[in-house]
Structures are given as structure tokens and as C-alpha cells.
Amino acid sequence: MKNFVFISPNFPDNYWHFCAELMHNGMNVLGIGDQPYDELAPEVRNNLNEYYKVSSLENYDEVYRAVAYFIFRYGRIDWLESNNEYWLERDAHLRQEFHILSGWQVEDLPRIKYKSKMKEYYQKAGIPTARYHMVDDFDGCMTFIREVGWPVIVKPDNGVGASHTYKLTSEDELRAFLGDHEPVPYIMEEFIDGEVQSYDAIIDSQGHPLFETGNRTPNSIMDIVNNEDNTFYYILKDLPEDTRKAGRATVTSFGVRSRFIHFEFFRLLKDHPGMGKKGDVVALEVNMRPCGGISPEMMNYANSTDVYKIYADMIAYDSTLKAQGEHAFCAFFGRRDKKQYALSMQQLQEKYHDQIRMHMRIPEALSGAMSNEALIAVFPTQEALDAFCQDASAPAY
């Protein structure tokens, strides 16, 4: 029986589904987390063979001892994963310490975690990338800006999501940023007028997709976070062929094996010299884990399938027989508590009763990008989806 160590099986709170399907496939699923066992949701407790509580997942020594204990108790560890962006580096270091050969190793981290390093591999795949400059001083930044023009985007080179990402439009904003930014390496990029679209896939050990889909985010996550806007994105009914082609080429270039991935691209909203024509797909960044939050459920609703099962099949069998059914658009619309809307949440649910699949409060840790309260709804056409978005976002007057 193979042993799978799952880091933080309780957060996000839907990740117990991964554990459940791994257990169904005969894996020993061994959880490490910082929540007391008695406080774990029953779904988490019931889908772990054993759970090891640490005082903090930030404490490497404690997590190290937890893995060592599992090896003493169950033997060699075959897989160690969190499927969580925040812990990807920790996962890699633990694999190296315990000679776990599945999954990314420490030497792989630069190209999968640092935005500046990703560009080389996108370019090997033949996908254009934005010009960039590693933030240094005012003069160095201005030399780059004179080449690419205002505005520019600045963000941590090794960052998670859209946190601490800013659009700079003037010398005054640049000076303010340089005087007050977080003490980590920042990358500055030329601004790309594009809409974010993704390639999401579960990849087998040979680099072949077992499942593919994608999402569209009409408004930038950076603006959603910085302006505390509503959150709206949706799983596409059908993955465009140019996105599929770019996604598969990126998988090959980065050497992805045995992973659930979320790659982000821009679809250009206008011609961009050196990048492409309006409508072209160009690079943004790679994320070597599933799309965040409730997105796996949305993929299931949009494709009439079960991505948790497909992932577990990939781990256990390196293949899957899980089929897909009818396709649809699946939307996430998140509202902010401090905003007033023309339709209350109850009125919105009553109007779209037949389309709504989930209603939820968003954990505080995720609310920056995902708002405070959200609906997941399924629609057969783009027109029906757009009508829902208009109703969900209409402000009270």
C-alpha cells in the first residue's frame, strides 16, 4: 500500500475530497496540520488514516518530525503534497530531506516559483512574455520605464496570488513604492492590456493531460484585491484551442509530471508591439497546484465530472476512467459585505434557484481575492451567464 502525506488537509476546507478519493484508491493518507484533531471537520477525520498535529505548519522542525514519525510507522513515503501555493517550497524541501522522488524537488523551485525565472520556459514554449526589470533604484527603474512606457506592474518575484501587486502610473507613485514596499525582491513588468484566461489540467507522469479546462477572469485579480471589488470569474464551457495549445506547450517546457496545475495567460485586448495581435494568447505565470478556493468544484459542475477522482486516479494508477458529461459555464460571483446591491442575496438565490449550485461564506484568509459571500451557478449559454452577472453586481441606488 502506498503512503501519501497530505500537508494541511483541512485548509482549504474542500481539500478533504482529495483525501477521500486517495483512500478510495487504496492509499494510506497521512495528514499533517495545526488544527486539533477534535476540531477537524468529520469529513477530514474520516478520510485520513492518521493525523499528526503540529503547533504550527510554519515550524519546519515539527513538520519534519511528523514526516519522520510516519516513515517509522508506515514505511517509505511515496507522495508528499499540499496542493497549496503557500506550501510548495516546504513540500519540495521535505521531499529532498526524505528522498521522496515524486513531485517537485528543491532544484526545480526557481523556475516554478520566481516570476522572472518562468519567462525563460515560456519563451522555450514559443509563448511571448512581458518585458521586465528587477526593481533596484529609481534611476534603474526609470531607464526601464522609458523603454516600455507607463504604466508598469510591480509585484513580488516570489509571490502568492495578487497580494502586494501594484500598477504604477507616474514618477511620484514609483518614488512612493520604492520608499515603502515590502523588503523582498520585486519584479517590474510592462503593462499588458489583456484579460486573464487559464489552462487548468491534471497531468500524468508522461506529461500528458488526463483532464483539461480553463477559466476566464474579466477583471484583474490585482484590481479586485486592491480596490476590494466584487469577484467574478467562470469556468469556460469549452476550452479554446489556442489556450489548450499554449497550455500543453507550457507543460512540456516546464517538465510538468504528475500534477494538478493552473497556468495563467493574457488574451490581448488590443495589438501589443512585440507581444502579438488583439486576441492572441501570451504568458502571465504558472501555478503548480490547483486553481484556488472552490474552483475544483466549479470544474466538476462545468464538466459533469469529478476532478478529485481524476487526481487520485493519476496518483494511484497514472490514468483515469472517469468520464466527463455535458459541459456548461460555471460562474463564481463574490460580494463584499460593505457594498449594497439592488438584489439581496436571498432575492438573487430565488431568481436563479435552478442554476445555483452553492452558496457560501468565504474564510477571512481568502476574502481579499474572493470577497465575503459567494454564489456558484451553472449556465448553458454566455448570454444567461452575463445576465446573472449583471443582476449580481447591480448596486443599490
Side-chain angles (χ1 to χ4, degrees):
M1 183 178 289
K2 292 185 177 181
N3 297 315
F4 189 111
V5 172
F6 205 114
I7 307 293
S8 186
N10 57 306
F11 185 84
D13 59 13
N14 53 317
Y15 273 22
W16 67 267
H17 290 285
F18 286 118
C19 300
E21 296 301 336
L22 288 164
M23 285 192 73
H24 291 164
N25 283 351
M27 307 285 287
N28 264 336
V29 185
L30 311 168
I32 302 175
D34 53 16
Q35 187 173 16
Y37 180 79
D38 291 342
E39 296 177 12
L40 294 174
E43 296 88 351
V44 180
R45 293 199 304 267
N46 295 339
N47 289 291
L48 295 173
N49 294 90
E50 189 168 351
Y51 179 73
Y52 190 112
K53 181 194 175 298
V54 294
S55 64
S56 171
L57 285 172
E58 299 282 0
N59 187 320
Y60 184 81
D61 289 341
E62 282 193 78
V63 178
Y64 177 96
R65 288 196 294 271
V67 178
Y69 165 77
F70 282 144
I71 292 174
F72 172 77
R73 180 83 185 269
Y74 297 98
R76 181 171 62 90
I77 303 301
D78 300 284
W79 296 86
L80 183 149
E81 296 284 359
S82 64
N83 279 335
N84 190 314
E85 184 76 28
Y86 190 78
W87 301 116
L88 287 185
E89 292 182 62
R90 167 68 53 81
D91 295 349
H93 283 280
L94 288 168
R95 291 189 199 104
Q96 177 170 286
E97 295 268 22
F98 292 101
H99 199 60
I100 303 168
L101 299 181
S102 59
W104 296 115
Q105 304 297 308
V106 172
E107 63 266 22
D108 298 315
L109 289 174
R111 75 177 187 275
I112 68 171
K113 288 292 294 177
Y114 290 87
K115 295 173 177 63
S116 58
K117 304 297 184 184
M118 294 176 188
K119 292 178 181 290
E120 174 187 350
Y121 293 88
Y122 268 123
Q123 290 164 357
K124 286 180 179 179
I127 302 169
T129 63
R131 290 171 287 180
Y132 77 101
H133 171 74
M134 296 307 298
V135 170
D136 44 14
D137 56 19
F138 179 82
D139 290 338
C141 290
M142 283 305 304
T143 298
F144 173 72
I145 292 168
R146 280 189 284 270
E147 177 185 353
V148 302
W150 297 101
V152 291
I153 302 297
V154 289
K155 51 192 174 184
D157 194 26
N158 180 11
V160 178
S163 59
H164 306 297
T165 298
Y166 311 103
K167 181 194 290 186
L168 306 181
T169 63
S170 68
E171 292 188 17
D172 287 344
E173 290 183 2
L174 173 61
R175 292 183 191 278
F177 166 75
L178 291 173
D180 194 38
H181 71 78
E182 297 73 18
V184 297
Y186 264 74
I187 184 173
M188 175 179 287
E189 294 181 311
E190 64 179 316
F191 177 74
I192 302 298
D193 192 357
E195 182 180 82
V196 176
Q197 298 192 5
S198 75
Y199 172 80
D200 298 85
I202 298 171
I203 305 298
D204 71 11
S205 68
Q206 302 302 308
H208 303 139
L210 301 178
F211 169 80
E212 296 172 299
T213 189
N215 69 46
R216 177 178 178 234
T217 307
N219 300 321
S220 78
I221 297 296
M222 176 185 68
D223 291 339
I224 290 170
V225 172
N226 292 337
N227 302 332
E228 296 187 300
D229 291 336
N230 298 321
T231 306
F232 174 59
Y233 73 99
Y234 58 90
I235 306 297
L236 295 161
K237 183 175 182 178
D238 296 299
L239 183 65
E241 282 305 311
D242 56 355
T243 306
R244 188 190 311 275
K245 180 179 178 181
R248 290 183 177 184
T250 305
V251 165
T252 299
S253 181
F254 278 80
V256 179
R257 300 287 186 272
S258 303
R259 292 206 72 80
F260 199 152
I261 56 167
H262 172 64
F263 292 170
E264 295 177 343
F265 299 91
F266 281 124
R267 188 173 295 279
L268 295 178
L269 296 176
K270 64 180 183 181
D271 293 354
H272 190 107
M275 293 288 286
K277 298 290 186 181
K278 179 180 178 180
D280 285 353
V281 172
V282 300
L284 178 50
E285 65 183 58
V286 296
N287 298 279
M288 299 297 179
R289 42 75 183 171
C291 188
I294 208 72
S295 295
E297 274 78 4
M298 294 173 62
M299 295 176 196
N300 289 343
Y301 293 135
N303 295 279
S304 303
T305 191
D306 187 341
V307 297
Y308 299 108
K309 171 64 173 170
I310 297 171
Y311 175 83
D313 287 352
M314 177 271 291
I315 295 294
Y317 315 124
D318 202 27
S319 64
T320 187
L321 296 177
K322 183 63 182 176
Q324 297 182 47
E326 183 178 357
H327 286 204
F329 295 97
C330 185
F332 176 103
F333 197 97
R335 286 178 159 188
R336 302 283 177 181
D337 288 346
K338 67 180 184 179
K339 292 180 179 287
Q340 299 295 315
Y341 299 91
L343 293 179
S344 69
M345 185 60 77
Q346 181 177 344
Q347 290 171 320
L348 197 61
Q349 291 182 83
E350 290 172 354
K351 182 171 182 177
Y352 290 97
H353 177 268
D354 292 341
Q355 289 77 41
I356 290 173
R357 298 293 180 267
M358 299 179 71
H359 170 226
M360 75 204 78
R361 291 290 301 178
I362 305 300
E364 188 64 29
L366 302 175
S367 63
M370 301 185 70
S371 300
N372 304 108
E373 187 173 15
L375 293 174
I376 306 293
V378 174
F379 301 94
T381 66
Q382 184 76 53
E383 292 74 19
L385 172 67
D386 293 343
F388 167 74
C389 178
Q390 187 172 20
D391 282 340
S393 60
Y397 291 105

